[in-house]
Amino acid sequence: MAATVRLIVNGKAIDAPEGISVGALLHARNGAVLRQTQHGAPRGLFCGMGVCFDCLVKVDGRPNVRACMTLARDGMIVEIPA
Amino acid sequence: MVKTVDAIVIGGGIVGAMTAATLARRGLAVHLLERGAFGGAVSGGSLACINAHMNSLDELETLKWCGDAWAGLDDRLGHSFEYNRSGKITFILRQADVARAEAWIAAETPRGVAARLLTPAEVRDVEPGLTGPIVAATWHPEAATVNPFFAVRAMLADAADHGATMASHTAVDRILVQNGKVRGVATATGTVEAPHVVIAAGPWTADVAATAGVTLPIVPRKAQCLATTAQPPTILRVIGACESDGGIEAGYTQIQQARSGQILFNTVLSGGQGDPSGRNAVPEVDRRFVFDSIEMLMHLFPATRGIELMRSWVRYEAVTPDDRFVIGPAGPEGLLIAAGDGGTGFVRSPAIAEIIADRIEGRESHFRTDIYAPSRFDALVEP
Ligand SMILES: Cc1cc2nc3c(=O)[nH]c(=O)nc-3n(C[C@H](O)[C@H](O)[C@H](O)COP(=O)(O)OP(=O)(O)OC[C@H]3O[C@@H](n4cnc5c(N)ncnc54)[C@H](O)[C@@H]3O)c2cc1C
Ligand code: FES
């Protein structure tokens, strides 16, 4: 069995298999809608390959990081923009 | 029915938009024709810094006037184009370039353009994030930026408010000439007549001029830009390079953070002279440019490490043999050229528009116009 990493997502500890992307993790847990735009339109993983920038989250304090291109790491702090 | 106006402007970039607005404000009936979307070519891809420092001593008074004109437009047009007097820092990486910077400052100061030399510690007072190793920098507090798309739109709205008419997605196929005089232009949807036609078609200007039998030595040059995802305020000023050699350190490189939060990085690499068909394609930026830009950005602003690059774009600027604009009459009576931006046409556009309008009205211009005369290249282009 793959090792597990523990992330903090919106203040909650979440365990995930090592090697999963933050995008895939959030997709599996939260469903297709990851966040809302400023104007309230739903956004989630769209291209899943780093091109569309629809999957932006905050990682370790850094804003607008692509979730689909970021590997989940132990101790990583992920914030989904409100 | 054939539409008849006093003047036709070809090209809806910043030069054409500013020219149309200026002519309309002076009471002329103007019609502007744009082949694609307004501002969609070079102007929309611009970093649109309004800067007089380390630019051109021959044009210093004109550039200074342009800086004031942009500030005036911002006031008059209701702060509609994100005018931001951020100031500009020009970083120096080699000791040998300090003397060059000092020479610029010595020449500019008595002529009213304020810039001074800063130590690296002083740089941090005006740009706290610029902590990477530099030798010195110049600081020009009057430099500003505008949002290029909003600026084009604001000028078009001003033109329309003063009675100008305009059409996008309408290419001029050719300029109509009769008995050595301009008569108007032909488009796919019909003819427009006017005794004055201004070509402000950016890197396509030579093609349009050729339809009136005029040869202009304007070639396209590749400018490239990268944008990161939106970031909190990281870079407060326009950051320019001062090195005299080519490459990423050359005088062309410019870094700034847009109001949207995106960090923009722009340069022209040596050998950037594009193939003439390049301006019609949408080519990708050079791989080397991406690597060199990231390295330079992280060298100057270590805190930018880890920021995601979001997009890149290429535009072809119009370049003349002496890197100066072509502004004035050429060929048949009534034909005027306003192109050849050499990469800094945004700042100059208010003066270009005035020079063209003075010419059309038959007035003496208070700008120095001889250095822009299209006729300076006659010996070059005539067989
Ligand atoms: C990345 C980048 C950064 C820059 N940074 C700065 C800066 O900081 N400061 C500065 O001062 N300048 C800067 N510049 C340069 C500046 O943007 C240009 O000088 C300026 O936008 C040129 O404007 P223009 O109106 O001449 O050209 P364009 O915006 O290209 O307008 C010409 C228009 O003519 C139209 N056209 C062509 N042929 C026809 C036809 N047959 N019929 C009808 N329409 C036609 C085109 O579609 C186009 O819209 C920068 C440029 C780039 C690319
Ligand atoms: S889903 Fe497209 S960039 Fe992440």
Side-chain angles (χ1 to χ4, degrees):
Chain A
M1 222 190 84
T4 305
V5 292
R6 175 164 291 189
L7 300 75
I8 312 289
V9 178
N10 282 357
K12 272 204 293 214
I14 287 176
D15 290 330
E18 191 174 31
I20 195 172
S21 74
V22 173
L25 171 69
L26 295 174
H27 191 77
R29 286 187 60 93
N30 302 3
V33 177
L34 176 62
R35 63 178 179 100
Q36 242 100 47
T37 66
Q38 287 174 35
H39 309 291
R43 289 290 183 275
L45 254 65
F46 180 58
C47 72
M49 57 183 213
V51 177
C52 72
F53 287 76
D54 266 357
C55 61
L56 299 179
V57 294
K58 201 182 229 185
V59 174
D60 293 334
R62 167 99 56 211
N64 295 330
V65 175
R66 287 165 297 175
C68 73
M69 299 300 284
T70 307
L71 271 189
R73 269 185 296 97
D74 211 35
M76 184 179 261
I77 298 172
V78 177
E79 290 160 78
I80 302 172
Chain B
M1 207 188 85
V2 173
K3 187 179 173 78
T4 303
V5 291
D6 297 324
I8 294 164
V9 178
I10 305 172
I14 192 61
V15 174
M18 193 71 86
T19 301
T22 303
L23 290 169
R25 247 185 275 137
R26 291 197 191 187
L28 277 83
V30 185
H31 189 61
L32 181 143
L33 290 159
E34 161 58 46
R35 178 173 61 188
F38 296 126
V42 185
S43 297
S46 179
L47 296 200
C49 176
I50 309 307
N51 169 52
H53 170 52
M54 272 188 167
N55 190 320
S56 161
L57 289 182
D58 286 337
E59 301 168 90
L60 196 62
E61 280 71 24
T62 299
L63 288 165
K64 188 175 155 53
W65 182 91
C66 286
D68 296 338
W70 274 105
L73 286 164
D74 174 49
D75 279 338
R76 194 169 62 74
L77 301 179
H79 312 292
S80 50
F81 48 85
E82 295 184 350
Y83 176 87
N84 176 21
R85 190 167 279 204
S86 60
K88 181 173 181 182
I89 290 170
T90 305
F91 63 87
I92 299 168
L93 298 176
R94 290 185 309 219
Q95 194 59 44
D97 282 312
V98 174
R100 268 187 76 236
E102 283 172 336
W104 275 102
I105 292 172
E108 289 168 353
T109 307
R111 291 163 71 182
V113 171
R116 61 198 172 88
L117 203 66
L118 301 183
T119 65
E122 290 169 328
V123 168
R124 259 159 255 161
D125 291 338
V126 278
E127 186 67 285
L130 207 172
T131 59
I134 58 172
V135 169
T138 70
W139 167 235
H140 176 48
E142 282 156 24
T145 56
V146 301
N147 177 312
F149 263 111
F150 290 175
V152 170
R153 278 190 222 161
M155 299 319 143
L156 293 175
D158 189 36
D161 283 348
H162 290 85
T165 53
M166 56 196 74
S168 63
H169 303 283
T170 309
V172 167
D173 294 330
R174 81 204 142 78
I175 293 169
L176 305 172
V177 181
Q178 202 171 34
N179 304 326
K181 285 185 188 168
V182 154
R183 189 166 64 81
V185 300
T187 76
T189 49
T191 297
V192 187
E193 294 195 336
H196 303 281
V197 172
V198 184
I199 311 179
W204 298 275
T205 297
D207 303 336
V208 181
T211 69
V214 175
T215 309
L216 294 171
I218 298 179
V219 296
R221 180 175 67 194
K222 189 176 184 181
Q224 335 197 41
C225 211
L226 299 175
T228 71
T229 56
Q231 298 297 317
T234 310
I235 300 177
L236 310 179
R237 319 295 175 184
V238 175
I239 310 295
C242 135
E243 258 66 5
S244 37
D245 299 344
I248 209 82
E249 295 166 14
Y252 201 95
T253 288
Q254 192 170 312
I255 307 166
Q256 66 207 45
Q257 190 167 13
R259 277 283 163 88
S260 64
Q262 296 177 9
I263 295 172
L264 312 175
F265 196 111
N266 157 230
T267 209
V268 170
L269 289 182
S270 47
Q273 215 85 349
D275 73 290
S277 62
R279 73 217 142 122
N280 298 323
V282 187
E284 291 188 23
V285 297
D286 302 330
R287 190 73 43 106
R288 205 185 94 219
F289 162 67
V290 178
F291 295 142
D292 288 354
S293 302
I294 294 169
E295 207 175 302
M296 178 61 77
L297 191 61
M298 292 191 313
H299 175 88
L300 298 170
F301 293 89
T304 57
R305 187 171 295 275
I307 292 179
E308 307 223 352
L309 277 184
M310 188 169 68
R311 60 195 177 100
S312 62
W313 63 92
V314 169
R315 290 290 189 281
Y316 283 86
E317 302 163 341
V319 182
T320 62
D322 59 8
D323 235 349
R324 266 202 313 268
F325 255 96
V326 179
I327 313 168
E333 194 184 322
L335 185 66
L336 292 149
I337 314 294
D341 59 273
T344 49
F346 239 94
V347 53
R348 286 169 173 76
S349 53
I352 296 167
E354 292 290 328
I355 292 170
I356 292 290
D358 288 340
R359 187 84 207 186
I360 288 178
E361 290 194 309
R363 287 202 217 170
E364 186 77 36
S365 193
H366 70 273
F367 295 97
R368 187 178 166 192
T369 56
D370 59 313
I371 55 174
Y372 301 121
S375 57
R376 71 189 189 277
F377 299 125
D378 283 355
L380 263 180
V381 297
E382 235 113 89

